[in-house]
Amino acid sequence: MNDTLAFDMTPKLTGKISADRIRVLRTPRPPDGLIEKLKRIPDATSVIADVMDELGITGAIGTSTLKPTLPNASIVGPALTVRNVVQREHVYEAARRSVNRMAEFEAHNLALPGDVVVIDGVAGVSNMGGISAQTGKRQGEAGAIVSGGIRDVGHSRRADYPLWATEITPVTGKWRIETVEINGDIQIAGIRVSPGDIVVADETGVCFIPIARAEEVAERALAKANFELEKCLAIDAGAAVADLPSKE
């Protein structure tokens, strides 16, 4: 008898977003070994940003824009995308009637272990709070990237759920935001992100690698990281500046 627990992986919608607004039911999975390869790169976003420049790929954003909530956090995983817009109903009327159209919980519902929730969100209000972050941690997500506000930072830190966001605010998005699409193409700081694109985030920044180029980027980034390690070892050994390795 197989002792492995069986789970019903069929998404169960809460009713806050219709099924036709979920463009991809399952986030595309990365090739075997790709995530592990990228995790081996120290100072990953800096190295990957250089490689993406060399390959003509736009996709790097600094932490001056997307600020991390956990020091020394680093994550790698496929993007599970969410798009939020401002709710049309007046905020106080929506609050009075408890009209909550936020649906990032549907993204948690779809998430597979290692996914990174990426939210094209609304500025000035929270697109993800502490309970949402705790749920994401429970689902095995690597973390989340939010263009827009987040709140309950202490809660998400206690849950050890890494977040990168453009804003932190106590103002709830419950009565102000409507989630209009999950797993469609989104824009983060002018960069297009598609479901399954590889997200690499650390204390220096965030890189979005198009899945079609991810293997190429990973190979080049590993080679560059190994070259930089060689250079650092030469520095530690006392090599003269003129004698340091200068070509990869």
Side-chain angles (χ1 to χ4, degrees):
M1 180 177 176
N2 188 347
D3 292 330
T4 303
L5 291 175
F7 294 95
D8 178 6
M9 297 301 291
T10 304
K12 300 172 179 63
L13 301 183
T14 67
K16 291 182 182 177
I17 188 169
S18 59
D20 63 352
R21 294 189 179 184
I22 300 176
R23 303 306 179 198
V24 180
L25 195 61
R26 289 286 173 236
T27 304
R29 310 320 294 165
D32 289 344
L34 176 67
I35 300 300
E36 291 70 23
K37 191 178 296 184
L38 290 166
K39 284 181 176 180
R40 299 207 312 266
I41 301 171
D43 302 311
T45 59
S46 296
V47 175
I48 290 168
D50 286 354
V51 168
M52 292 173 75
D53 278 350
E54 294 163 7
L55 294 173
I57 303 169
T58 302
I61 304 169
T63 52
S64 54
T65 299
L66 287 165
K67 305 169 187 68
T69 59
L70 286 174
N72 305 317
S74 62
I75 61 172
V76 182
L80 197 173
T81 62
V82 177
R83 184 162 64 91
N84 290 338
V85 299
V86 176
Q87 189 175 167
R88 288 182 176 178
E89 190 162 3
H90 190 279
V91 55
Y92 300 136
E93 181 62 21
R96 185 183 66 80
R97 296 176 47 237
S98 297
V99 178
N100 179 4
R101 295 193 174 97
M102 282 184 68
E104 88 284 0
F105 274 90
E106 302 297 3
H108 298 318
N109 190 27
L110 296 175
L112 295 176
D115 281 350
V116 179
V117 173
V118 183
I119 300 179
D120 180 359
V122 176
V125 300
S126 174
N127 295 259
M128 180 178 284
I131 292 175
S132 182
Q134 184 175 340
T135 303
K137 181 70 174 183
R138 193 277 309 276
Q139 296 295 87
E141 296 164 14
I145 313 295
V146 182
S147 178
I150 60 170
R151 71 176 192 170
D152 308 328
V153 173
H155 190 155
S156 61
R157 284 175 177 156
R158 290 191 298 274
D160 194 30
Y161 184 83
L163 281 154
W164 283 255
T166 56
E167 301 176 43
I168 296 173
T169 175
V171 179
T172 183
K174 285 190 296 185
W175 326 123
R176 297 170 169 89
I177 284 174
E178 180 177 359
T179 300
V180 294
E181 190 173 53
I182 293 176
N183 266 347
D185 290 345
I186 59 173
Q187 293 275 333
I188 303 293
I191 294 171
R192 176 175 170 174
V193 183
S194 298
D197 284 353
I198 304 302
V199 183
V200 182
D202 58 24
E203 58 191 335
T204 302
V206 179
C207 291
F208 298 106
I209 310 172
I211 186 60
R213 308 292 300 276
E215 287 275 24
E216 182 182 12
V217 169
E219 289 295 335
R220 288 196 179 217
L222 265 178
K224 184 177 287 289
N226 288 334
F227 169 76
E228 291 186 355
L229 175 60
E230 179 186 349
K231 202 168 190 175
C232 289
L233 290 173
I235 292 169
D236 288 344
V241 173
D243 295 333
L244 293 175
S246 59
K247 293 183 179 179
E248 294 178 39

